[in-house]
Amino acid sequence: MKIPNPNTTKSKINPKSQIPNYEGVIKRYREYLPVTNKTPIITLKEGNTPLIYANYLSKMLGKNFAVYLKYEGLNPTGSFKDRGMTMAISKACEEGSSAVMCASTGNTSASAAAYAAKAGMKCIVLIPKGAIALGKLSQSLIHGAQVLAVDGNFDAALELVREITAKYPITLVNSLNPYRIEGQKTASFEICDTLGSAPGFQVMPVGNAGNITAYWKGYKEYKAKKKITRLPVMLGFQAEGAAPIVRGHPIKEPQTIATAIRIGNPASWLQAEAARDESGGLIDMVSDKQILAAYKLLASKEGIFVEPASAASVAGLLKLKKENYFRRVTKSPSHQVTRITCILTGHGLKDPDRAIKSIKEPRVIKPNLKAILREIGYA
Ligand code: F0G
């Protein structure tokens, strides 16, 4: 197979975007963040994740399109939440808090537990019973959080966390905490710094809608500071069984195999709609079948293992491609390459059960050379 040259104009990235002695998102983007000399910086060196040129997907999109994958699964706890958590925990420390709390479909709790452990704080987590992936549960447990499984969904758990943190001296670290959004916006800075400009389009999953809010805030701030000259079109994707924004009303019992985005009443609903409308984008939905197809494609064609919720971005990309969306709305002259970033929010190892369920289990075979050679087609 011919390996494409990484230095072709279509896939080229800014060489100045490599950073020696990297110290995490707060140090790198300090001037854009609400920190002072008094803020203790609690970091696990999150951020600085790769933006990977997607050969297969770019080819699928066709001439004049280049697809890049922002692999957020390579953050310290395996998801984008670490960008926001370094800010939320650092500020909680600065404010003298000794306990933090969140509701979570798994990744927020894994991240909160790790950063709270690093800061020496107590961490309390409410998760929807039986509805979070095993890898995520193992993380919050091993980091020493107090994990309570609520007999209800994420929305009910978040409501309880809001109530408790409003009454007791415990800091809320869900994305309703504005510092979470501040930290998460650094991902859009990284994309712009790597590409040398904003992408034409950005595709991402939407759950509680904090991340789309954060990215859009980041892009707008970079434009205001004249680091970029134009803004991307924001394209958000919910899972079909958990698509309150698309349907225009909360979903009482959201359902999807993408457990991370199984949310029926997103906290940042209005901000997500603002990102959509201000950017001229859309929020649409993809079925579990489309999510699983994208999940397998990413692993088998791009070499990237993500959790199902992350694959919703690529499922959305493929859905829009089928509708000829990108060609219809792209205004650039035909000789120019339009760049599309897809945000891959969490690592595939978070949810290994899903991978094994999606593919056939390995065949059991006798420890016999001949039998193996026959099996692999060499005899
Ligand atoms: N992708 C993954 C892997 C997630 O864990 C989440 C959210 C999202 C996408 C959606 O991001 O909520 O900002 O719109 N996970 C939260 C959690 C809800 O508790 O870990 P969002």
Side-chain angles (χ1 to χ4, degrees), residues 65 89 151 156 342:
F65 289 98
I89 299 289
D151 197 1
C342 291

Side-chain angles (χ1 to χ4, degrees), residues 335-346:
H335 62 277
Q336 251 178 36
V337 173
T338 297
R339 298 188 287 192
I340 307 172
T341 47
C342 291
I343 313 302
L344 304 181
T345 47

